[in-house]
Amino acid sequence: MARRLPGIVVLVLLLGVVATAPALGQDAGETETEGAVEEEPPDIEEIVRSTTAEQFLPEPYEQPAWFRFLVFPLLGVGVIAVTAVLLLYLRWQPYFAEERRRRRRR
């Protein structure tokens, strides 16, 4: 316990400094910028609506026509794979239980 006590004290002091540093820094920053008026940054909608931004916007995504034909076969393959894994797990479950019993006996 005596070895850990200095480490705990250092951690608590560091946490205290980290917790109070933003508050102390904020007070110092306010005194420097009391006369300055802060402007809010432009909204994202204002930026997107500008003509300059419209030149660089990507084209809207259009899904290729053949993607819709892949959905159901892939879904079927996924269902078959999950079913196979679950059935194999049920088949091998007695072996897993036997291994667990062997480990307990050791």
Side-chain angles (χ1 to χ4, degrees), residues 21-90:
L24 295 175
Q26 194 174 29
D27 292 340
E30 286 177 3
T31 57
E32 295 174 6
T33 60
E34 285 177 359
V37 176
E38 293 184 23
E39 294 182 19
E40 292 189 20
D43 222 8
I44 189 69
E45 295 298 325
E46 294 174 16
I47 295 171
V48 173
R49 288 184 196 145
S50 69
T51 56
T52 307
E54 287 178 4
Q55 296 173 358
F56 298 101
L57 287 176
E59 296 177 8
Y61 177 74
E62 294 179 10
Q63 186 178 16
W66 54 274
F67 271 20
R68 61 186 156 135
F69 298 116
L70 286 178
V71 172
F72 292 112
L74 287 176
L75 186 63
V77 168
V79 168
I80 291 171
V82 168
T83 305
V85 168
L86 289 175
L87 288 175
L88 286 173
Y89 177 76
L90 288 175

